[in-house]
Amino acid sequence: MTQRMELATVRDRLALDGLVTDYAVAVDDGDWAAYLRLFTPDGRADYRAAGGIEGDAGTVAGWLAERCAEFPVRQHLFVNRRVRLGTWEQDTGDTAEVRTDYVSPASRGGDGDGAAAAGLDLLSGGRCVFTVVRTPDGWRLSRVVVREKWRRPTGGRADGVIH
């Protein structure tokens, strides 16, 4: 591998890391316009393994907006990111897959802007799989699959789904 190829790989990995971080921040902040900008026009998301729905990014964003309204204070912590470049058959360097584990605390208290919350109401964790393609506008999500592995209500009724 040449130095130029190594630099391109590092740049791609940093861009993919930024894309996944932007996804978490968009969901945490309830910025559904930003969420939609992360996807390709035909992008899809699948939250069925977390008690949710599967569909195009717009439909899923609407569903997430409703579900997240119940938990105005939320934070996604993405860890153990694994990046694989060139994941599609006949790839020319324009596809990738990012797998990341997550822990997601959420609360019904507070104002969503960092004000003191009444306490933690829900704690969940699992894995997100992001299928990504390079577009003229940079890397974009073509598919997101959320696989919740565990959920623990920590106070009150906690049947909401947020990922």
Side-chain angles (χ1 to χ4, degrees), residues 28-104:
D28 289 344
D29 291 350
D31 187 344
W32 308 115
Y35 177 90
L36 290 173
R37 285 191 301 272
L38 300 172
F39 284 85
T40 60
D42 62 345
R44 299 186 69 76
D46 184 349
Y47 288 77
R48 291 176 296 182
I53 67 169
E54 189 277 337
D56 64 83
T59 299
V60 173
W63 174 81
L64 278 171
E66 290 177 20
R67 299 307 300 171
C68 288
E70 186 176 353
F71 296 94
V73 179
R74 54 192 177 270
Q75 184 175 35
H76 287 79
L77 307 170
F78 283 173
V79 298
N80 302 331
R81 293 180 183 169
R82 283 165 261 143
V83 176
R84 286 184 25 220
L85 295 166
T87 57
W88 292 1
E89 191 173 320
Q90 310 272 330
D91 178 71
T92 59
D94 294 328
T95 66
E97 180 182 89
V98 180
R99 291 176 181 251
T100 183
D101 295 329
Y102 70 86
V103 174
S104 180

